[in-house]
Amino acid sequence: VLGYRLIASCYKQGQEYGFLGLFIIRDPIRPSVKETIKLAKRAGLQTIMITGDHSLTARSIAKEIGLKVGRDSVITGEELNELSEDELIQKIKNIKVYARVTPTHKLRIVSAWQKLGHVVAMTGDGVNDAPALKAADIGVAVGNASDVTKETADLILLDSNFSVMIEAIRQGRIIFVN
């Protein structure tokens, strides 16, 4: 089943192993994410997903949260390695999901968007996200982020809820207009 992680379990009795079964697990998606992505799009924001997950898992999750993913809109870190900077910049507007990426890939993605003149906000919670948060125009540490990530970020969200960011942008735009 796509979007799940599979774990096999066994037991050891003497020198023999016995199969117990297979278990699937999945991180739950907050119910508000799909609506929040719609709001972000209406606000003129482009949401992309960057993950270490397998591309099939990432594609499944992206579809579930409302990102329109087609054949050319999902790319792996390995495929990203094959692209020159110019090729990445040409393709980047069509890529919605990056899977199996490294911190170096995250930096390349942020840099490519910036080279196109976009303001880039990057969210993350792990040490591996810190370089990209630092490079982004707005680095956002979410939830129980690592200390390194919090120190690197421009903004720390106490709640790992994407809708908080969209509401903050909405409020900021109201303040700016006034």
Side-chain angles (χ1 to χ4, degrees):
V1 178
L2 294 178
Y4 291 84
R5 291 187 176 98
L6 180 66
I7 299 174
S9 181
C10 67
Y11 64 92
K12 183 177 180 183
Q13 188 172 21
Q15 296 296 322
E16 301 290 319
Y17 288 94
F19 178 73
L20 286 175
L22 298 172
F23 301 91
I24 58 172
I25 59 171
R26 181 167 186 234
D27 295 328
I29 296 172
R30 291 179 187 240
S32 64
V33 171
K34 192 170 185 175
E35 182 60 30
T36 301
I37 288 175
K38 285 181 190 175
L39 290 172
K41 186 174 182 177
R42 283 198 300 249
L45 307 173
Q46 183 167 358
T47 303
I48 62 170
M49 188 171 103
I50 305 173
T51 181
D53 286 337
H54 188 277
S55 63
L56 293 175
T57 301
R59 181 185 298 273
S60 175
I61 293 167
K63 285 181 181 178
E64 186 176 340
I65 64 174
L67 290 178
K68 294 192 177 176
V69 288
R71 180 192 216 147
D72 297 329
S73 59
V74 178
I75 188 170
T76 65
E78 191 173 295
E79 293 167 323
L80 193 56
N81 288 337
E82 302 297 319
L83 297 178
S84 70
E85 291 305 310
D86 289 338
E87 290 171 325
L88 176 58
I89 288 172
Q90 287 176 343
K91 294 181 176 199
I92 200 161
K93 288 187 177 181
N94 295 323
I95 302 170
K96 304 293 181 210
V97 178
Y98 297 84
R100 291 282 193 225
V101 295
T102 66
T104 303
H105 294 133
K106 294 174 186 181
L107 282 170
R108 279 191 73 195
I109 296 163
V110 168
S111 175
W113 279 106
Q114 289 171 326
K115 285 178 183 172
L116 288 172
H118 292 269
V119 174
V120 178
M122 174 78 182
T123 63
D125 61 1
V127 173
N128 64 335
D129 296 317
L133 266 63
K134 182 78 173 162
D137 297 293
I138 305 165
V140 182
V142 296
N144 294 324
S146 69
D147 289 341
V148 170
T149 306
K150 287 178 183 176
E151 290 173 17
T152 303
D154 300 302
L155 178 67
I156 301 170
L157 293 181
L158 299 178
D159 183 359
S160 295
N161 194 335
F162 186 49
S163 65
V164 171
M165 286 182 21
I166 303 307
E167 180 60 22
I169 291 167
R170 189 180 77 76
Q171 291 293 325
R173 288 179 174 177
I174 291 169
I175 292 166
F176 184 79
V177 168
N178 288 339

